[in-house]
Amino acid sequence: MKRATLVYFIAAVTAIVLLASPVQAQQLPTLNVLWWPGPEGDAMQEVCNYWNEHYAEAEGFTAQVLLTSRVGWWERMMAALSAGSREFDVVMTATYELANMADHLVPVTDQIDTWNLFIESSLDAVRSGGKTYAVPTDITIYVPMYRTDLIERLLTDPEWQQTYTEIASQYLGKPLEPKQPEDWDWDDLKAVSLFFTRSINRDSPVPYGIALPAKNIIYNVFVWNGILWSMGGNWFDASGNPALDSPEALEAMAVYTDLMEWNASPDESINWEYPELQLAFGSGQVAIILQAIAGYGELINPEQYPQVYDKVGLMPNPGNHATHTHVLGAAVNKHSRYVDEGVRFLQFLATEPALRIYLEGAGNPPVPNLMEAYAAERPHFPFLSANAVQYGFVEAVQGQPAPVQYFSAVAEELSAGWALVVSPEEALRRANERLSGLLSR
Amino acid sequence: MRANSLSTWFDRNIRYLLLVPLGALLLLLLAYPFLFDVYLSFQESQAGRTLGFAGLSNYVRLLSDARFWQSLAFSLRFALTVTALEVFLGLGIALFVDRYLVKNQWVVALFLMPMLVPPVLMGIMFQLMLNRFVGVLPYYLSALGVNFSFLGRQGVMATLVAADVIQWTPFAFLILFSGLQMIPPALREAAAVDGARGGQVLRLIVLPILLPTIGITAFLRFIEAFRTFDLIYALTGGGPGNLTTTVSIYIYKTAFEQWDFSGAVVGSLVLLVLAIVPLLISMKVVFRGEGGA
């Protein structure tokens, strides 16, 4: 009996192996797309599913997404690229990592003929040395968000307006009057922040006027950089020398340091970034935040933020409205065995149907047509598109987007200034010195 | 005759032969990366590529970088503070449990719970618990009229120390409690029969015997605290500026934000050399204590 069971078992295993073998032999090669988990990973999975369903057989390869944790993602990916890894064929890149990755990527400037779909600043974000290395898949800009109910009352209540003017006179030396947010300059933003700070105006409905993202982290430099550019400043002068000691830079620093000194932003905001700002605004405790626009999509969700979901306003950066553009994109690993296949996948990805799938899967592709079309589902898309088109910029160093080294150095030095640990002048001097050091390497 | 001598040689050296596989593995896992690090420290590197021989320039650059010394000073200050607090509190709790709760093992398990939380998760938990607007602690404190900014300029250092102490005092407690359990009850009973009071038993019997264990505990905590990374990185990112940057954060940022692997390796090697000094001191204390016991 036992012997018969054994024979049946061996026969079954043999049959499975024989039946499976032809399938194995016919299997198409798989293009591995290295992405990170979250909305972007889900969106890319949808694109790969579509590819596998409609194109895989004709093109001769399937595509699959490889996800690894967001924590330490860039470190792991760069280490793998540096080691010449062939474990992935298409890889996610970002504005501030592109310069470091470019040596390991395949330029696709001439292989793709649909670049005109994209917002120009998003393409600047994936160019290095005049070559385009990636198809932009997600775009972010950084702008102020404000409580619409509070600003509406400020614009209509004479008593509030009188107090506002008094506060502006006292702290800014100017008798300012309330304006529509889109007409603000940075002094107006300061005045509104002061007005809604309870330690300055005890009738303020919220304890703090603003929450500043002042933690020592590169993303917070993206926010501050918008202020600098909106005042006409830049990290570098026309000759390419560091220019963070300019009057514009000092003025941009003063937006943070003044508000910190006046306690208009909570003291612990020196250690705050995106999530803490969302909590501060979402819990109805501050009137303004300077935030990545992705935050808006979360704040208007009534389940997530019941206190403010219907009171969130978006405005362009005061001044000339310049806004830092941050982009994620898909690039081909130069060390891959499937470079041609990778390029063909990118050609597909750079089409409107593919990017529509990516968008529907929760991505933010920088394609104005699509962003306009999805205004109902993502109310901030038209604003994002218009601002990125008109005012989006990419901080560049020697013909390529400034790499993470630069942002990290600037974050470290400026965060000391934002937190009033050193004077704004000293923070800018040190940041300038660090930029010089990086340029000389 | 020859077979006999071979057998004798084998018997005499079998202990070394048995170590060969493990030794080879350790050599591969430790010696190769170490030697590669030494090689890399003399290379110029950028974004994961070596660009050629750099002589001592990486060492000169690191040793003349004020930020490195600041991070070293912060690590030292942080490690000394938390080690002292953790050993003191750990010892106090161990003595208390040993005296009053030794039969309630669930109490011991309860004390150990914070240690089981990954430090980075601890950092995130503290971020939420201490958040001015949604945190549980500021909520209750403000109800009592206390308004304290845990992660603000004045409070950040105390908060980091408190977070580390909450997480790692259980570790000190665990080792010291085990040490206390090893002391034969007869010694204390004999002292009590001779008329020694509680304080005298502690000072003259328990603490001298426990001294090597205290030394080991302090040494282990000091080393761990000195190279703290995740808890502080999650809470402050090393900032504002580099006010709370530990050496580990400095090395991490050099490697993965500056993409300067050579600089990071030099930092690690200098740290290794510096770590040898406390290691030797603590070993001396430990072994002297054992001899005395």
Side-chain angles (χ1 to χ4, degrees):
Chain A
M1 186 65 186
K2 274 183 183 172
R3 193 170 179 171
T5 309
L6 186 67
V7 169
Y8 286 135
F9 177 74
I10 291 170
V13 169
T14 311
I16 289 167
V17 169
L18 288 174
L19 286 171
S21 295
V23 176
Q24 194 88 17
Q26 285 169 11
Q27 245 179 14
L28 297 170
T30 301
L31 189 81
N32 289 317
V33 180
L34 186 63
W35 223 248
W36 66 18
E40 299 90 352
D42 296 342
M44 186 51 81
Q45 186 61 59
E46 293 298 322
V47 176
C48 287
N49 292 345
Y50 188 86
W51 171 274
N52 294 338
E53 209 173 307
H54 297 89
Y55 294 93
E57 209 164 315
E59 293 285 343
F61 67 95
T62 60
Q64 69 173 8
V65 177
L66 302 180
L67 299 174
T68 72
S69 166
R70 289 173 90 108
V71 179
W73 198 91
W74 298 109
E75 291 90 319
R76 283 195 305 281
M77 185 273 302
M78 269 303 288
L81 275 182
S82 300
S85 174
R86 306 171 92 185
E87 297 299 316
F88 53 92
D89 312 293
V90 169
V91 60
M92 187 179 80
T93 182
T95 315
Y96 59 84
E97 293 290 357
L98 189 86
N100 290 323
M101 293 171 70
D103 278 355
H104 305 286
L105 304 178
V106 178
V108 288
T109 323
D110 302 324
Q111 281 90 333
I112 290 170
D113 52 14
T114 50
W115 295 125
N116 58 346
L117 286 176
F118 297 90
I119 294 170
E120 187 57 28
S121 61
S122 75
L123 295 175
D124 290 341
V126 291
R127 284 191 188 122
S128 177
K131 295 174 185 165
T132 308
Y133 282 90
V135 172
T137 52
D138 295 272
I139 187 168
T140 306
I141 59 170
Y142 301 82
V143 289
M145 293 172 202
Y146 62 93
R147 281 276 298 274
T148 50
D149 57 330
L150 300 181
I151 300 300
E152 274 163 25
R153 184 168 168 199
L154 180 61
L155 289 167
T156 51
D157 185 328
E159 209 173 311
W160 275 30
Q161 289 172 347
Q162 190 187 339
T163 311
Y164 178 89
T165 305
E166 284 167 12
I167 288 172
S169 299
Q170 187 185 343
Y171 285 86
L172 300 167
K174 301 174 189 173
L176 298 175
E177 287 178 6
K179 293 178 202 157
Q180 291 290 346
E182 47 272 26
D183 299 327
W184 289 0
D185 60 19
W186 286 103
D187 275 345
D188 292 308
L189 182 132
K190 283 184 191 177
V192 173
S193 304
L194 289 166
F195 178 81
F196 287 112
T197 298
R198 206 172 281 154
S199 61
I200 291 166
N201 171 18
R202 64 181 181 180
D203 295 329
S204 168
V206 288
Y208 289 94
I210 192 165
L212 293 170
K215 189 177 181 179
N216 172 7
I217 190 167
I218 64 168
Y219 307 104
N220 289 344
V221 178
F222 298 172
V223 176
W224 182 83
N225 218 23
I227 304 178
L228 174 68
W229 277 61
S230 73
M231 292 175 170
N234 193 335
W235 286 9
F236 303 99
D237 62 20
S239 320
N241 298 314
L244 278 179
D245 51 359
S246 65
E248 292 83 8
L250 199 56
E251 208 183 329
M253 276 300 277
V255 172
Y256 273 52
T257 54
D258 285 352
L259 292 169
M260 283 289 189
E261 271 172 16
W262 295 327
N263 291 319
S265 181
D267 189 29
E268 53 266 73
S269 61
I270 62 169
N271 281 308
W272 281 4
E273 51 170 321
Y274 182 97
E276 289 86 5
L277 262 60
Q278 291 290 96
L279 287 176
F281 193 93
S283 59
Q285 305 292 321
V286 298
I288 302 171
I289 51 172
L290 307 181
Q291 184 67 301
I293 198 164
Y296 180 85
E298 295 171 16
L299 288 170
I300 59 171
N301 180 346
E303 284 172 17
Q304 211 172 347
Y305 295 105
Q307 285 167 290
V308 299
Y309 73 97
D310 55 348
K311 307 180 186 81
V312 192
L314 277 173
M315 57 175 281
N317 270 331
N320 69 16
H321 305 326
T323 181
H324 180 99
T325 305
H326 174 57
V327 159
L328 298 178
V332 178
N333 174 8
K334 189 174 85 175
H335 313 293
S336 158
R337 275 166 293 200
Y338 300 117
V339 167
D340 288 343
E341 287 82 353
V343 171
R344 270 151 54 206
F345 185 76
L346 255 55
Q347 285 168 337
F348 160 71
L349 184 62
T351 60
E352 210 165 293
L355 290 164
R356 184 185 295 274
I357 294 163
Y358 191 79
L359 184 151
E360 286 173 351
N364 302 286
V367 178
N369 288 347
L370 287 176
M371 294 186 128
E372 294 292 339
Y374 280 78
E377 294 86 348
R378 314 265 196 100
H380 61 293
F381 265 15
F383 175 90
L384 167 57
S385 171
N387 274 265
V389 167
Q390 289 184 67
Y391 311 120
F393 71 88
V394 173
E395 187 68 64
V397 179
Q398 297 170 335
Q400 57 192 1
V404 64
Q405 295 90 309
Y406 287 71
F407 283 104
S408 166
V410 171
E412 188 173 316
E413 303 304 344
L414 294 194
S415 67
W418 300 335
L420 312 177
V421 173
V422 300
S423 70
E425 292 85 356
E426 178 63 11
L428 289 167
R429 188 192 63 74
R430 289 185 192 175
N432 225 36
E433 211 172 87
R434 296 283 297 276
L435 289 181
S436 298
L438 286 164
L439 281 175
S440 67
R441 286 189 69 198
Chain B
M1 181 69 181
R2 189 172 171 172
N4 202 15
S5 73
L6 190 67
S7 165
T8 311
W9 180 90
F10 193 80
D11 285 346
R12 198 180 300 147
N13 294 295
I14 180 68
R15 53 189 168 164
Y16 301 117
L17 289 173
L18 290 172
L19 283 175
V20 167
L22 184 62
L25 187 69
L26 282 176
L27 204 67
L28 195 73
L29 293 177
L30 294 177
Y32 172 73
F34 175 74
L35 292 174
F36 186 74
D37 275 2
V38 173
Y39 161 79
L40 201 57
S41 73
F42 293 104
Q43 295 287 315
E44 193 181 341
S45 75
Q46 203 163 13
R49 289 168 299 150
T50 51
L51 304 173
F53 184 65
L56 288 170
S57 65
N58 290 322
Y59 287 88
V60 172
R61 185 155 49 88
L62 181 98
L63 296 175
S64 58
D65 185 355
R67 294 179 305 118
F68 174 70
W69 295 108
Q70 280 161 7
S71 69
L72 207 62
F74 175 77
S75 293
L76 198 62
R77 200 153 43 98
F78 179 78
L80 285 172
T81 311
V82 299
T83 302
L85 286 170
E86 285 162 14
V87 171
F88 180 74
L89 288 173
L91 182 62
I93 297 170
L95 288 168
F96 180 80
V97 172
D98 184 54
R99 176 143 191 179
Y100 300 109
L101 300 169
V102 72
K103 286 180 185 163
N104 300 326
Q105 289 189 351
W106 60 270
V107 175
V108 178
L110 203 67
F111 276 124
L112 298 182
M113 280 177 73
M115 200 174 79
L116 306 177
V117 180
V120 71
L121 190 58
M122 198 75 168
I124 293 166
M125 282 165 58
F126 267 94
Q127 258 177 348
L128 287 171
M129 284 197 307
L130 303 179
N131 187 286
R132 175 180 289 271
F133 299 131
V134 298
V136 63
L137 210 54
Y139 175 80
Y140 285 113
L141 284 178
S142 69
L144 296 171
V146 179
N147 189 6
F148 185 70
S149 169
F150 287 95
L151 289 172
R153 271 159 293 182
Q154 306 305 324
V156 66
M157 182 64 183
T159 301
L160 294 178
V161 167
D164 196 90
V165 168
I166 288 170
Q167 174 147 47
W168 293 113
T169 296
F171 176 80
F173 157 74
L174 183 66
I175 299 185
L176 294 168
F177 182 66
S178 307
L180 279 173
Q181 297 288 295
M182 299 294 287
I183 298 174
L187 280 178
R188 288 192 245 193
E189 286 162 15
V193 168
D194 288 344
R197 277 174 286 183
Q200 287 173 311
V201 173
L202 177 67
R203 188 161 47 85
L204 301 171
I205 309 274
V206 175
L207 286 182
I209 296 174
L210 208 58
L211 193 62
T213 315
I214 293 173
I216 283 281
T217 310
F219 172 70
L220 290 175
R221 275 313 303 142
F222 178 82
I223 291 291
E224 277 296 309
F226 189 78
R227 59 192 188 93
T228 295
F229 175 82
D230 21 22
L231 179 75
I232 295 180
Y233 194 74
L235 281 170
T236 69
N242 56 4
L243 207 62
T244 59
T245 299
T246 61
V247 178
S248 299
I249 293 177
Y250 174 89
I251 291 171
Y252 167 81
K253 286 191 168 184
T254 305
F256 294 113
E257 288 189 3
Q258 296 301 313
W259 289 113
D260 175 9
F261 288 157
S262 298
V265 158
V266 170
S268 306
L269 292 174
V270 170
L271 199 60
L272 180 70
V273 172
L274 292 175
I276 288 172
V277 179
L279 178 69
L280 290 176
I281 294 171
S282 109
M283 286 298 107
K284 210 167 179 178
V285 169
V286 169
F287 288 117
R288 190 195 294 153
E290 276 188 349

